[in-house]
Amino acid sequence: MKHLIDSVAQHKQGNGNGIYAVCSAHPLVLEAALRYAHARQTPLLIEATSNQVDQFGGYTGMTPADFRRFVCQLAGRLSFPESRLIFGGDHLGPNRWQNLPAEEAMANADSLIECYVAAGFKKIHLDCSMSCAGDPVPLTDEIVAERAARLANIAEQTCREHFGSADLVYVIGTEVPVPGGAHEALTELEVTTPDAARATLEAHRHAFEKQGLNAIWPRIIALVVQPGVEFDHTHVIDYQPQKAVALSEMVNAFDTLVFEAHSTDYQTPQALRRLVKDHFAILKVGPALTFALREALFSLAAIEEELLPAKAGSGLRHVLETVMLDRPEYWQSHYHGDGNTRRLARGYSYSDRVRYYWPDSQIDDAFERLVRNLADDPIPLPLISQYLPLQYVKVREGDLNAAPRDLILDHIQDILRQYHAACQGETSPNA
């Protein structure tokens, strides 16, 4: 994990750099990220979340070993060196089993951590902040830290058993609201106070000492806090640096620690750059990438409708809506209001519950048909201008092929450019 430790060290020396983490399991998102990092010869941090990938398969159907193998195979096909891949596990703890009694949930969390570390994940976010059945609400810092230390102990042992030494890096703490975007409408967020951040660190330091884990403290590279950024279905709360001044200054007292910012999706390029400058030097992005994927696919579906009769088209939009209505479990508890409001949310919400449905076989078949239909003949430039104007400019300049997959990948990379620029200290996201 030398790159992550060096990146934090460089930031602490005043270089103003950061690193972004791609939090997605979608093949096209991962391909876009791999191609982008490969072109710039940079490492790529890819993270799986505890609800996405676990020892039972998660909602992707993949175990940690499956996910790592899947990404490595994709990287191999794209000639991306495996040595530049960094794998992280996000919100690892009892999150998936909050309905169970604490000890049962933690037993599952023990196994979860072991599976992630044994599979070669090196950046481990220990998050035991959620209350389980019978727990007080909310949990005290001490309980959270004790459970995190328990998991850290298992992680260290597992790493030594499988790889001969313990070279993991850790992230502790959690953000509020819940990961993946707020469920309800938001107007304002409370920034984590410096005292609360210090209390989290102190509780974890004490718990780690009790477990005999003093030596790993320099490898705790980040603390997750709330810098005041979030999104709900139709709104984004933008970073306001003046509200985070005290929090930003507080981390200067710790030689090997930066902040990790979650839910940074949809922040402006300027806000992302300021977050990194203010020591939120690890930026997580997930829904914004699949949101961009959805934008590109909806745009191509609209182009298809202009070019082909309905009976020859993929019907992607209709197929997607039908599947989401037939299987509402991934959006029903998130989207509220009348029928039209929920319809709009299913297609366009920032929380992007669509991302749970792309693996469906009917939707995947429609996607493949869409790509085939538009790959047969060149897409007319005026239609690209109408529906994918940013890509149109690149096509006209000869920097991008007007092929469906290339247009999709480049549209996803528009988001990655913003994160890369922010983490490199660049003022423009056009790199």
Side-chain angles (χ1 to χ4, degrees), residues 94-312:
N95 182 46
R96 290 272 285 174
W97 305 284
Q98 294 176 57
N99 61 318
L100 299 177
E103 193 48 48
E104 192 175 345
M106 283 301 297
N108 282 333
D110 292 345
S111 176
L112 176 75
I113 286 284
E114 185 176 353
C115 286
Y116 266 85
V117 174
F121 286 70
K122 296 297 186 181
K123 177 179 176 288
I124 304 297
H125 175 204
L126 302 170
D127 182 8
C128 297
S129 62
M130 56 292 298
S131 295
C132 301
D135 274 339
V137 181
L139 294 178
T140 65
D141 281 341
E142 288 70 27
I143 294 174
V144 172
E146 286 172 6
R147 292 177 180 177
R150 164 179 168 168
L151 297 182
N153 202 13
I154 292 170
E156 291 289 290
Q157 293 176 15
T158 303
C159 196
R160 284 193 293 268
E161 289 169 6
H162 284 79
F163 304 104
S165 63
D167 61 347
L168 305 173
V169 296
Y170 295 94
V171 176
I172 58 176
T174 193
E175 84 280 23
V176 178
V178 295
H183 293 184
E184 307 297 338
L186 294 171
T187 56
E188 190 174 1
L189 283 176
E190 286 191 18
V191 174
T192 301
T193 66
D195 286 345
R198 289 189 197 96
T200 297
L201 288 169
E202 187 55 34
H204 280 76
R205 186 188 292 275
H206 182 64
F208 282 23
E209 284 177 358
K210 286 174 64 177
Q211 287 277 357
L213 297 172
N214 298 27
I216 75 169
W217 196 256
R219 290 190 274 121
I220 299 174
I221 61 169
L223 174 67
V224 179
V225 291
Q226 177 50 267
V229 302
E230 188 52 89
F231 57 91
D232 59 24
H233 305 314
T234 58
H235 300 92
V236 179
I237 296 182
D238 291 312
Y239 180 55
Q240 299 180 52
Q242 70 277 10
K243 292 187 175 183
V245 170
L247 178 62
S248 173
E249 291 176 349
M250 164 260 168
V251 82
N252 287 328
F254 299 88
D255 292 339
T256 58
L257 193 76
V258 295
F259 290 129
E260 178 169 283
H262 292 207
S263 297
T264 67
D265 308 74
Y266 314 112
Q267 293 290 308
T268 66
Q270 294 78 13
L272 291 174
R273 177 62 199 136
R274 187 56 191 262
L275 279 163
V276 173
K277 184 179 178 182
D278 289 348
H279 312 309
F280 303 94
I282 303 176
L283 302 178
K284 306 293 281 293
V285 57
L289 298 171
T290 46
F291 186 90
L293 166 69
R294 193 271 312 153
E295 283 184 323
L297 291 176
F298 278 20
S299 295
L300 291 175
I303 291 172
E304 182 190 41
E305 288 178 5
E306 296 287 350
L307 294 175
L308 298 174
K311 63 180 180 181

Side-chain angles (χ1 to χ4, degrees), residues 375-387:
D376 290 340
D377 297 300
I379 299 174
L381 287 173
L383 290 179
I384 298 177
S385 177
Q386 175 67 41
Y387 292 104

